[in-house]
Amino acid sequence: MSSWKAYYDLKKTAAWYDKHQFVVNPKREEIAEAIVNMFPCKKDAKISVLDLGAGTGFLTEKILKAYPEAIVTCVDGAKEMLKIAKTRLKSHLDRVSFQVRDFSKRGWNKSLGSFNVVASLFAIHHIQDRYKRTLYKQIYRMLEQNGYFLLGDLVKSRYDVFEEKYEDIWCKIIQQRAKDILGIERTLEQVKQKDRELRASQRDMPATVDEQIGWLREAGFSLAECVWKWYRLALFVALK
């Protein structure tokens, strides 16, 4: 079992993730909206979408509401996360399906078919770089011609001095949100330590923006660009 899968495929962890992501992941709403806005179609288009690493269904819910004719396949390696997704998306079950699959493993995409859009939010940074490169090639082959791959994920800086600044900004925001929303007061150093522990337990392995774009082009995408960035977060768009 993948280390990230072992972490997330626990009922307690899945519930905590769904409840606290809006606190520990600043700009979650904004990057999800950016993904939805970058879809290459009109709102009434009949499109097939793969949400890769769908988790508790946060992004899928936004897609289904924005595109009422869309059909979405949710893929995630953690069964407990998808259980929460099914509850969240219960009013859309005629347009969504769920597949428990570990996308770091060979053959994860067998029999899934092709898609107009593959979208992923906060998932692919959990796998090693060599698996990311293989995954992007698989996604390329799964997309219809002129299909889009929309990747919203954690990234890292090429430079330690910037990475330290990103951490400082990120954790100051979490510190304030925890106080305002949850009533929890911690020093900045305590927040930083908790953030580091969380990233270690989740086996975070983010890549740089340049690495991601290079791997997308290597996979065969004709166009690949970072269209949105906020310190540790980035949205990439790749066109087949």
Side-chain angles (χ1 to χ4, degrees):
M1 179 182 288
S2 301
S3 55
W4 61 268
K5 185 175 182 292
Y7 175 82
Y8 282 107
D9 207 10
L10 297 171
K11 187 174 183 179
K12 182 179 179 180
T13 300
W16 184 94
Y17 178 91
D18 193 56
K19 182 178 179 181
H20 292 90
Q21 269 295 296
F22 67 98
V23 174
V24 301
N25 212 332
K27 301 294 184 177
R28 183 190 187 208
E29 286 281 346
E30 188 172 325
I31 193 171
E33 290 294 341
I35 289 174
V36 171
N37 289 339
M38 283 301 300
F39 269 48
C41 57
K42 295 181 179 179
K43 295 294 184 181
D44 59 352
K46 294 182 178 181
I47 55 172
S48 177
V49 181
L50 172 62
D51 185 352
L52 189 59
T56 59
F58 172 75
L59 178 60
T60 291
E61 183 177 34
K62 292 188 176 298
I63 294 169
L64 291 169
K65 287 181 177 179
Y67 298 92
E69 297 295 325
I71 302 295
V72 181
T73 300
C74 293
V75 167
D76 200 279
K79 186 186 298 183
E80 291 298 329
M81 299 286 271
L82 287 181
K83 284 181 181 179
I84 295 174
K86 288 179 183 179
T87 300
R88 167 178 263 137
L89 303 170
K90 61 184 178 181
S91 63
H92 302 285
L93 292 181
D94 58 326
R95 295 195 291 128
V96 62
S97 61
F98 305 89
Q99 296 280 341
V100 180
R101 303 193 185 198
D102 183 346
F103 56 78
S104 69
K105 302 297 184 183
R106 181 179 297 179
W108 70 270
N109 57 339
K110 184 178 180 181
S111 74
L112 282 180
S114 60
F115 300 90
N116 303 111
V117 176
V118 175
S120 183
L121 180 60
F122 303 145
I124 293 176
H125 67 275
H126 292 305
I127 65 176
Q128 295 176 26
D129 291 348
R130 62 191 177 103
Y131 293 132
K132 292 183 182 79
R133 296 171 74 174
T134 298
L135 180 63
Y136 296 162
K137 293 173 184 177
Q138 292 172 318
I139 290 170
Y140 178 84
R141 291 193 294 267
M142 295 172 73
L143 281 168
E144 297 283 356
Q145 192 60 40
N146 297 318
Y148 272 42
F149 175 34
L150 300 167
L151 171 62
D153 212 347
L154 295 176
V155 293
K156 66 179 181 181
S157 175
R158 294 168 56 191
Y159 310 105
D160 290 343
V161 63
F162 293 160
E163 192 65 29
E164 291 173 7
K165 186 62 177 177
Y166 292 170
E167 179 188 49
D168 193 60
I169 295 168
W170 185 282
C171 289
K172 281 180 180 177
I173 293 173
I174 293 175
Q175 179 188 33
Q176 191 62 49
R177 288 167 74 87
K179 179 181 178 181
D180 295 344
I181 299 172
L182 302 178
I184 297 174
E185 293 195 44
R186 290 196 175 109
T187 67
L188 181 58
E189 285 308 312
Q190 287 174 325
V191 174
K192 286 182 178 181
Q193 184 59 36
K194 283 288 185 182
D195 183 65
R196 291 166 188 163
E197 291 172 359
L198 182 62
R199 293 180 184 282
S201 65
Q202 294 177 352
R203 307 296 195 273
D204 286 1
M205 291 174 276
T208 68
V209 169
D210 291 340
E211 286 171 332
Q212 293 280 27
I213 292 175
W215 297 335
L216 290 168
R217 290 175 177 162
E218 175 187 82
F221 289 97
S222 60
L223 300 175
E225 186 169 79
C226 177
V227 297
W228 182 98
K229 189 175 185 297
W230 187 82
Y231 304 113
R232 283 177 168 176
L233 301 180
L235 170 58
F236 302 89
V237 179
L239 170 66
K240 179 172 179 177

